[in-house]
Amino acid sequence: MVIVTTIRRDVVTLPAVALGPDNPLPPLRPLDEVHRIDDRDKEDLPRGMARQAGYGPLHSLLPVRVRDGYGRTREPRDIAALVIENDRLRVTVLPGLGGRIASLFHKPSGRELLYCNPVFQPACFALNGAWFSGGIEWNIGATGHTTLSCSPLHAARIIAPDGGGMLRLWEWERLRDLPFQVDLWLPEGSDFLYVGVRVRNPHEKPTPVYWWSNIAVPEECRVLAPADEAWQFAYERRLQRVPVPSYDGADRTYPLNSTHPADYFYEVPDGRRRWIAALGEDGHGLVQTSTDVLRGRKLFVWGTGTGGRRWQEWLTAPGTGGYCEIQAGLARTQLEHVRLDAESEVSWLEAYGPLNAEREGEWAAVLRRTEALLEAVLPRAEVDAAYEAWKPYADAEPGETLAVGSGWGALEVLRTGQKLPGTPFEESTLGAEQAPWQELLRTGSFPEPRRVGPPGETLVAPHWRDMLETAPARPLTEYHLGVAQWHAGDRAQAVRSWERALELAPSLWPLLRCLAVADQEAGHRRRAADRYAEAFDDLCQERRDDGESWTAATAALGSEAIEALLAVGRAADARAVWQRLHPMTRERGRFRLIEARLLVEEGDREEARAVFDAGFEVADLREGAETIGDLWARITDEPLPARYDFRMRPRDDDGN
């Protein structure tokens, strides 16, 4: 008897970390993204790739906030899940965590096709901080892991093209102001999960768009893709063309043959079917294929070096095995963005399922055999036909609501009056974060808060900036206007807005902090340090120590103030800021590292070494960061202990 496809609610219980509050300080500094190359290196790239690598780079996280409030203490937590199931596959989706597919289980073989992380442990890999490993994630926005990695998406039940059930996920991506949807369904009796994706540009101007579907699989595999060349990118930030499968004396299609973390973007020839597979030693594994719009394919490896292995442990639980990532994207590499014309859309269909093939042998022969087997179990024409069958259903209105995302899309729909068939952003989803902006839209005036507290998020798109410019010039309005002007590149006007607000603002520290950042960016480090010290003093007088928003503000501003003061040699003043932090804040790993830095600046290397010896974990250590190793080198000539070694680059002759 064939089991009809079902969609049901479920709960996944995992050792998990609480996400904690977002950083309340607007991210004014340029984006620190490791996946970029120097302009001079673009000269050696194919013309189209070079053009797209220089098109629409993201310079700011605004209007999104940084998510750095998580720690490293895990306890069992229930995570809401949605399960799509037929008689062949069981798919577990986490709508509250970016719509991540956490599991793809093949029933006939009893095999899990993905790497399933047994814990939920955020780390600082997303563009805005918190990200977690495992499963299949949908990356939209700009180069890097999406800001929606740990955010809720809207989800609803809908009718699939074959009349069965389909799960729709959708949200409003805020970096580019683009609505998108992901439709998942299991055709009756199919071994393959179908995924229809659509990204729309409802605006009157073209916009850069970025998409990579990121699939985690066990790293003890061989990765196959129809290519004889790849573009290799590592943490030295150099993009170079290399042969496939072997490069520099090793077959790089086996993830464990690499020493250091690296990306391999496969050069799939035009006209060739788009697919990528990860097969275990017994030949069983996962294959992903798509319509041709999703042209790029990639392998990411952690490598066998100390830093890569440490990151593997950091992101999961010890003894659970490592993983690599196979990916599919709109461009050849993740260093590129593609143009999405005004009032247009881009869409495609992906398919995920099991494959059993002989992975060993001469490369061209292996690819021919594997491609033939893929064609036998899922013909290319069938994928194209499934896409054509899905397209009319992309506009179908969702049925039963299964999960609720943010209210930002509803605010944009309210502003424009646009109708977005298939992805309704209902007014009922508007919340406290959108309320002041809704009032600005309705009355032309931005409301002042009834109680003093950290300011909310700033909307920075041109239409919101225009509304702020014509609104009554109250302190909070001027604060938000300054942030929007800063984002637009009008830094002088932003400073004037913040300075005007200082005259009447009941809360000075948010404005002083913005002015301090402006001073730093302009090279006025001493004035920036003065303003940071004044801002932190004002916050300490104003804060209420019984709320997480105040604790988060104190931690964020304190960290920046200490850094600014140390940069101009004011260690005593930096120590004074440290002493006024909340006791629990000082115990966090990030601040234990700051304490060691303070001790070094004060000339007490012995006590700084004692901080390392006692042990600490910097929960929000940034991907590619080398701050721990750099500080250790200032304390001692001894090798960096393995527990602190997160370095992702080869070391030079001096061991750096």
Side-chain angles (χ1 to χ4, degrees):
M1 175 182 175
V2 175
I3 300 176
V4 177
T5 299
T6 62
I7 301 174
R8 58 182 169 84
R9 290 185 172 91
D10 202 354
V11 172
V12 175
T13 303
L14 294 175
V17 168
L19 280 170
D22 289 353
N23 189 318
L25 306 182
L28 300 176
R29 292 182 176 82
L31 190 67
D32 178 23
E33 172 52 43
V34 298
H35 298 94
R36 57 180 175 81
I37 56 175
D38 294 331
D39 287 340
R40 65 177 182 273
D41 292 330
K42 296 174 185 175
E43 298 173 0
D44 298 326
L45 302 180
R47 183 175 300 176
M49 184 188 294
R51 183 179 64 253
Q52 291 188 160
Y55 173 58
L58 193 67
H59 298 293
S60 168
L61 273 178
L62 289 166
V64 176
R65 289 281 178 86
V66 173
R67 310 201 76 169
D68 59 3
Y70 54 89
R72 295 282 299 170
T73 302
R74 297 191 285 261
E75 59 185 45
R77 297 178 187 272
D78 290 340
I79 299 173
L82 299 171
V83 176
I84 315 168
E85 191 167 9
N86 67 2
D87 60 332
R88 313 290 293 177
L89 287 172
R90 182 169 63 247
V91 186
T92 304
V93 181
L94 307 180
L97 295 171
R100 182 81 58 102
I101 294 180
S103 170
L104 184 61
F105 184 78
H106 186 236
K107 295 180 181 181
S109 65
R111 292 175 180 268
E112 173 59 55
L113 301 181
L114 304 174
Y115 170 81
C116 297
N117 197 332
V119 303
F120 173 66
Q121 176 58 65
C124 192
F125 278 69
L127 286 166
N128 62 332
W131 173 85
F132 66 106
S133 64
I136 305 173
E137 73 171 312
W138 318 111
N139 285 297
I140 181 173
T143 296
H145 291 284
T146 177
T147 62
L148 295 167
S149 292
C150 294
S151 296
L153 302 190
H154 301 281
R157 193 188 308 269
I158 199 167
I159 301 299
D162 62 359
M166 182 163 70
L167 174 64
R168 174 162 297 164
L169 305 166
W170 73 98
E171 235 321 340
W172 191 278
E173 200 287 313
R174 301 177 66 203
L175 294 179
R176 303 297 193 184
D177 264 338
L178 300 177
F180 71 97
Q181 70 189 75
V182 179
D183 290 353
L184 305 100
W185 77 100
L186 295 170
E188 185 177 301
S190 175
D191 280 317
F192 283 83
L193 168 69
Y194 283 0
V195 181
V197 182
R198 177 168 66 167
V199 182
R200 286 187 276 195
N201 177 11
H203 308 298
E204 297 177 351
K205 294 182 179 180
T207 188
V209 69
Y210 172 95
W211 183 282
W212 282 81
S213 300
N214 183 356
I215 309 140
V217 292
E219 66 182 352
E220 294 181 353
C221 66
R222 190 182 197 191
V223 173
L224 310 179
D228 297 319
E229 291 183 312
W231 293 92
Q232 190 236 27
F233 180 82
Y235 286 81
E236 302 93 322
R237 294 180 173 175
R238 298 300 303 273
L239 188 66
Q240 59 180 335
R241 193 193 295 259
V242 299
V244 175
S246 295
Y247 160 63
D248 197 20
D251 188 329
R252 305 295 173 171
T253 62
Y254 295 88
L256 292 175
N257 280 354
S258 292
T259 304
H260 303 287
D263 300 324
Y264 293 90
F265 299 101
Y266 294 113
E267 188 69 74
V268 180
D270 290 341
R272 192 85 180 258
R273 184 176 185 177
R274 262 59 184 169
W275 62 273
I276 189 167
L279 305 180
E281 188 174 356
D282 60 0
H284 289 273
L286 171 78
V287 65
Q288 186 271 2
T289 188
S290 71
T291 49
D292 289 351
V293 167
L294 203 66
R295 65 169 300 178
R297 292 299 185 274
K298 169 194 162 182
L299 164 65
F300 167 74
V301 299
W302 283 107
T304 58
T306 305
R309 304 327 292 174
R310 185 69 182 102
W311 273 117
Q312 292 262 36
E313 296 172 355
W314 190 254
L315 292 165
T316 183
T320 55
Y323 74 96
C324 63
E325 295 169 358
I326 57 175
Q327 303 186 23
L330 284 175
R332 279 186 287 191
T333 75
Q334 289 176 333
L335 308 175
E336 304 167 70
H337 300 93
V338 301
R339 175 186 168 110
L340 186 57
D341 289 332
E343 299 177 340
S344 69
E345 63 183 51
V346 60
S347 61
W348 62 90
L349 185 130
E350 303 179 47
Y352 297 82
L355 190 69
N356 182 17
E358 174 55 59
R359 71 179 196 178
E360 308 298 339
E362 190 267 331
W363 181 245
V366 169
L367 292 183
R368 284 196 301 271
R369 288 197 305 265
T370 305
E371 205 157 47
L373 286 168
L374 174 59
E375 184 66 18
V377 297
L378 185 64
R380 185 178 187 178
E382 189 172 313
V383 174
D384 292 338
Y387 170 68
E388 294 298 328
W390 165 73
K391 281 200 301 185
Y393 289 81
D395 282 346
E397 290 305 305
E400 178 192 359
T401 298
L402 299 173
V404 178
S406 79
W408 296 113
L411 184 66
E412 291 302 320
V413 168
L414 189 65
R415 181 187 65 82
T416 62
Q418 290 174 327
K419 298 296 182 183
L420 296 169
T423 55
F425 294 95
E426 304 291 352
E427 234 178 292
S428 59
T429 62
L430 292 166
E433 293 174 312
Q434 294 81 39
W437 300 95
Q438 189 178 0
E439 183 168 335
L440 174 64
L441 184 63
R442 186 178 66 251
T443 69
S445 178
F446 197 90
E448 289 291 308
R450 296 178 181 177
R451 296 179 61 188
V452 172
E457 296 185 51
T458 303
L459 298 183
V460 296
H463 41 266
W464 291 107
R465 188 174 72 248
D466 291 345
M467 280 186 265
L468 289 168
E469 286 177 344
T470 58
R474 298 170 181 156
L476 188 57
T477 304
E478 294 282 8
Y479 162 82
H480 287 299
L481 175 59
V483 174
Q485 290 166 332
W486 181 271
H487 175 265
D490 192 351
R491 296 190 170 186
Q493 190 58 56
V495 168
R496 284 193 286 273
S497 295
W498 292 326
E499 288 176 340
R500 282 196 305 269
L502 277 175
E503 299 174 7
L504 297 174
S507 184
L508 301 181
W509 64 267
L511 297 159
L512 290 168
R513 182 265 177 177
C514 289
L515 289 167
V517 173
D519 284 334
Q520 285 180 323
E521 292 297 304
H524 304 306
R525 297 193 305 163
R526 295 190 181 280
R527 189 167 67 193
D530 289 338
R531 278 183 161 149
Y532 264 121
E534 186 181 353
F536 190 76
D537 183 65
D538 183 70
L539 172 59
C540 288
Q541 294 181 49
E542 180 181 297
R543 75 185 187 197
R544 297 167 176 82
D545 287 344
D546 58 349
E548 70 172 12
S549 63
W550 288 104
T551 301
T554 305
L557 184 58
S559 175
E560 290 187 9
I562 290 171
E563 183 65 34
L565 290 163
L566 289 178
V568 295
R570 292 168 57 178
D573 292 331
R575 173 64 70 179
V577 171
W578 164 265
Q579 290 171 340
R580 297 176 75 181
L581 294 170
H582 294 83
M584 290 184 63
T585 297
R586 292 199 296 265
E587 291 303 312
R588 289 168 51 186
R590 166 66 60 186
F591 290 88
R592 293 285 287 162
L593 180 62
I594 290 173
E595 181 184 20
R597 166 88 183 280
L598 275 170
L599 289 164
V600 169
E601 298 295 343
E602 292 165 344
D604 197 341
R605 285 181 171 78
E606 185 175 337
E607 282 300 314
R609 171 64 183 265
V611 173
F612 275 83
D613 290 344
F616 59 84
E617 293 183 321
V618 182
D620 60 329
L621 185 68
R622 183 66 175 165
E623 174 190 11
E626 298 181 353
T627 50
I628 295 178
D630 291 345
L631 183 59
W632 176 262
R634 296 181 62 189
I635 296 171
T636 177
D637 293 332
E638 296 177 22
L640 180 66
R643 66 180 298 184
Y644 297 121
D645 192 350
F646 294 89
R647 294 173 294 193
M648 302 176 81
R649 298 181 302 154
R651 303 178 192 180
D652 58 29
D653 293 338
D654 296 324
N656 298 316

